[in-house]
Amino acid sequence: MKNQEQFSVSISDSIVIGNISDVRDLILRAFDQKKPITIDISRVTEADITLPQLIESARRSAAIEEREIRLSQPAEGAVLQLLRRGGFLDTSDPARVDFWLQGTTPQ
């Protein structure tokens, strides 16, 4: 994505089923821009399973459309714990693990 204009989506605070539609709207707007998408989840303090489900859906949709989507940095904190509990880091899908961890080994 170097030297290429991108669309950034910043997600912060508590993301749960009651407000996940706001995040969905942000991601849909990003898809409308027809640019590579970067999602920043570094300021998420609390999340339920709807957040990784939504982002995973966006990742798969981007792959189908041959669009680039990535996280601004590897998942950590509350999101990383949720990914572990939810089975999103199962090594049977290396592309998914790489998307969330970007080649890092979480502590």
Side-chain angles (χ1 to χ4, degrees):
M1 257 188 335
K2 293 177 183 171
N3 298 327
Q4 188 176 17
E5 200 174 333
Q6 61 184 346
F7 192 89
S8 296
V9 175
S10 184
I11 305 168
S12 61
D13 303 319
S14 177
I15 306 299
V16 294
I17 197 164
N19 63 0
I20 195 67
S21 63
D22 297 336
V23 177
R24 181 204 62 218
D25 292 345
L26 289 171
I27 291 174
L28 287 174
R29 261 186 261 141
F31 270 85
D32 288 343
Q33 298 301 310
K34 306 293 184 205
K35 298 176 186 173
I37 302 167
T38 299
I39 301 174
D40 182 354
I41 57 172
S42 65
R43 293 184 312 235
V44 172
T45 57
E46 175 188 21
D48 66 16
I49 198 70
T50 60
L51 179 64
Q53 286 175 331
L54 177 64
I55 294 175
E56 193 58 26
S57 176
R59 182 184 74 84
R60 290 176 181 211
S61 293
I64 289 168
E65 294 181 19
E66 298 181 353
R67 302 258 321 267
E68 187 171 354
I69 188 169
R70 66 181 202 80
L71 298 178
S72 62
Q73 63 187 49
E76 58 187 19
V79 176
L80 179 58
Q81 295 306 314
L82 179 59
L83 292 170
R84 285 180 173 145
R85 286 192 315 269
F88 287 88
L89 301 180
D90 177 0
T91 57
S92 66
D93 187 345
R96 181 178 58 219
V97 174
D98 189 55
F99 173 81
W100 290 104
L101 301 180
Q102 299 177 355
T104 65
T105 303
Q107 300 299 316

